[in-house]
Each structure stands twice: as C-alpha cells, then as structure tokens.
Amino acid sequence: MCPPTFFDVREPKNPYMGLPIDRAKAQQQWEDLRRTLEDAGLKVEVIDAVEGLDDMVFAANQVFVGHHDRLGDFIVPSRMRYASRHKEVPFFIDWFWQRGYKIINLDLDGECLEGHGDLLWHPDHSRIWAAYGFRSTRGGVEKFAAAMQELGFPVIPVQLVDDHCYHLDTCLCPLNDEAALIYPGAFSPESLQTVRGAWKRIHELTSAEARQFMGNGIVANGRFITPRMTRNLEHILAQENLMPVVVDTSEFEKSGGSVFCMKALIE
Ligand code: ARG
C-alpha cells in the first residue's frame, strides 16, 4: 500500500473525478483499510508516497505482480495512460527490485497497460484476465499476453465498454476458483460471453452497485472487504461463504478508486 500523504484530485482521468477531497478523512480511511487488511490476516508492506504524485495511493496500477515456478517472483511494469501517472512506476519497480523480484519489461511504446487495474489473476493462478478499452490498450494487452504465454500463463483478453467501469477491477471480482462477481454492462457482448463461460457461478451487480465500487472488493481469508453493502451483495456473499467487512472509502471514490485499487497483492 502507499499512504495518501500527497493524494489529490486534480486532472480528471475518469468520470468520478471532480470533487475536492478531504485529506485528513482520506488518511483516516486509508488507516482503516490497512487495519482491516491486517485483521483479515494479511501483512501490509508500505511504499513511501512521493510529493506531486496524486494517484500513487492506488498501488494496484503501477506493476503487475506474479510468481513463476522457475523464474520466481516477477513484476511487469505498467505504462500508464496519463502522463501524470508515468512517474509513479519507477518507484514501484525500485521497491520490487530491491526485494528480489525479476522485472519483465515489455516494449509498450505507444501502448498502455495498467497493472492490476486491468490484469487479474484467476484465483487458482492458472490464467490471467486482461482488459482493454479505456486505460490499457488492446495492443498493450497483446504484448502482455505474448510475454505471459512464454511463461505458460494463458491470458484472456476482454473489452470494456462502460466508462464508469474503466478498469477491470471495477466490474470483475473473482470470489474463488468457481465464482465471480461481475457487472455485465461493463463488457462487450462477446467478452461477456467469454466471462460467463469461464466460471461455474456468475453473480451480478447492478449498474448502481458497480458505480459504488461494490465490484472493487478484496477477498481475503474468507472475508470480502467492500466500501458498502446491499441486500443483493449480502445474498451473493452468503452463497459463497464470504463474510462482508465494510470500509468507507468516500475520499478515494472521488478519484475513481476503492479498496481493490489501493493495494497490490504481492503473494
Ligand atoms: N484516479 C486514478 C486514475 O484514474 C484511480 C485509479 C483507480 N485504480 C484502479 N485500480 N481502478 O488513474
């Protein structure tokens, strides 16, 4: 995680961005999320925030993190769509490099790839879901897919079509090997078919739920950490034996992100 010391909303990069943030409240919400993750049994490691990098708090985006039997731990650095976020990436590369991660650099010239915003491991790590449309580009996803293919990880590309779901982590939330939470309206018809065909159980969020980041949850040790709750989501989580834990992320939602965006799972 990256603390929100310099978090701000300046340049609008998605439809949620516009209102000013309350930095003290943001700090409090970030601490609450950190404690919630620790209560769920996760160890939290922190990267220093850097002045001027307003979105660095969204630690899901700067690199894709993986583990390969032969190669060991690795990252694939992102090429962010907005120039204002380019500078975040080297700080994350450095952090991982110091901890022994291999760096897989793609030649992303002219393409974009936004880490775990658009790239999600299937829970059993057998394949990777990769979205393009708003932030990552199709070409970026193709280059990523070629590199992962070499490591033996198949990549499933999907196209996003709703600008309120500009990252895959806002509309596809794997719950376990068999079940996923999705907002169907976020996908092109063909991609929606692909998603539906790959899971035994698909649970659907409404557009209003997706826009309130209920598809941006974190699954951790039997818990589902979410910024809010509805009867529908409650019902879904009960079916999948997940215990809901609600954490307020109002200040980060003003930047278009919630709990999932605010961390990278490194193991
Ligand atoms: N303001 C950030 C941006 O638009 C939000 C990133 C949210 N991250 C995510 N993984 N969905 O770039």
Side-chain angles (χ1 to χ4, degrees), residues 61-206:
N61 301 145
Q62 299 83 357
V63 300
F64 172 83
V65 190
H67 179 84
H68 183 260
D69 284 344
R70 190 169 30 81
L71 193 66
D73 295 323
F74 69 89
I75 57 165
V76 181
S78 299
R79 185 166 180 278
M80 304 299 296
R81 173 160 299 242
Y82 291 94
S84 58
R85 295 200 67 184
H86 284 181
K87 285 192 215 126
E88 297 170 23
V89 178
F91 290 101
F92 280 79
I93 298 177
D94 196 49
W95 193 95
F96 282 97
W97 183 77
Q98 283 182 33
R99 284 157 185 82
Y101 283 70
K102 302 265 170 359
I103 320 286
I104 301 182
N105 278 307
L106 305 180
D107 172 22
L108 287 169
D109 196 29
E111 302 294 348
C112 301
L113 192 70
E114 298 213 341
H116 292 283
D118 280 325
L119 308 169
L120 302 178
W121 282 104
H122 201 82
D124 62 8
H125 283 226
S126 62
R127 52 216 138 122
I128 304 161
W129 292 89
Y132 61 89
F134 293 98
R135 306 302 281 277
S136 302
T137 55
R138 190 184 192 132
V141 162
E142 278 163 7
K143 289 190 172 172
F144 174 75
M148 292 301 103
Q149 195 70 51
E150 274 181 42
L151 297 180
F153 299 123
V155 170
I156 313 169
V158 289
Q159 184 182 11
L160 302 179
V161 296
D162 177 339
D163 66 347
H164 278 84
C165 295
Y166 62 95
H167 268 153
L168 183 61
D169 67 5
T170 63
C171 54
L172 171 68
C173 184
L175 298 178
N176 52 55
D177 289 352
E178 299 186 342
L181 189 58
I182 70 163
Y183 167 56
F187 300 93
S188 72
E190 200 188 320
S191 295
L192 181 58
Q193 239 182 7
T194 306
V195 172
R196 287 195 191 283
W199 303 82
K200 264 201 191 137
R201 297 181 300 284
I202 284 284
H203 301 285
E204 297 187 9
L205 293 174
T206 64

Side-chain angles (χ1 to χ4, degrees), residues 13-14 17 55 58 61 85 117 135 166-167 169 255-256 261:
K13 307 179 194 79
N14 62 61
M17 299 179 80
D55 270 335
F58 297 109
N61 301 145
R85 295 200 67 184
R135 306 302 281 277
Y166 62 95
H167 268 153
D169 67 5
S255 188
C261 317

